[in-house]
Amino acid sequence: TQPPAKAQTAAKQTPSKAAVRSHTVRKGETLSAIARKSGVSVKQLAAANGISPSTRIRTGQKLKIPQ
């Protein structure tokens, strides 16, 4: 059965969080290279991950890619 139409309308009006992609750092990748490939600035990428743009990232580290 379907939920009442009123509930469906309310769900459509509720703002959702912006979708965030993730990226697992591979050997040799840099923050700037990942930012460039993802179409965001290094500052945006760093801010989304709570790090400084000069932070050294590690292989296997998971980064959030802002949209």
Side-chain angles (χ1 to χ4, degrees), residues 27-49:
K27 186 176 180 177
E29 286 187 311
T30 62
L31 204 57
S32 60
I34 295 166
R36 187 172 46 254
K37 289 178 193 173
S38 302
V40 298
S41 72
V42 175
K43 282 186 175 185
Q44 290 171 316
L45 183 57
N49 289 282

Side-chain angles (χ1 to χ4, degrees), residues 1-2 11-13 17 33-35 42 46 49 56-57 59 61:
T1 61
Q2 297 238 345
K12 289 180 184 176
Q13 293 175 351
K17 289 184 177 181
I34 295 166
V42 175
N49 289 282
R56 176 176 260 174
I57 56 175
T59 299
Q61 185 174 347

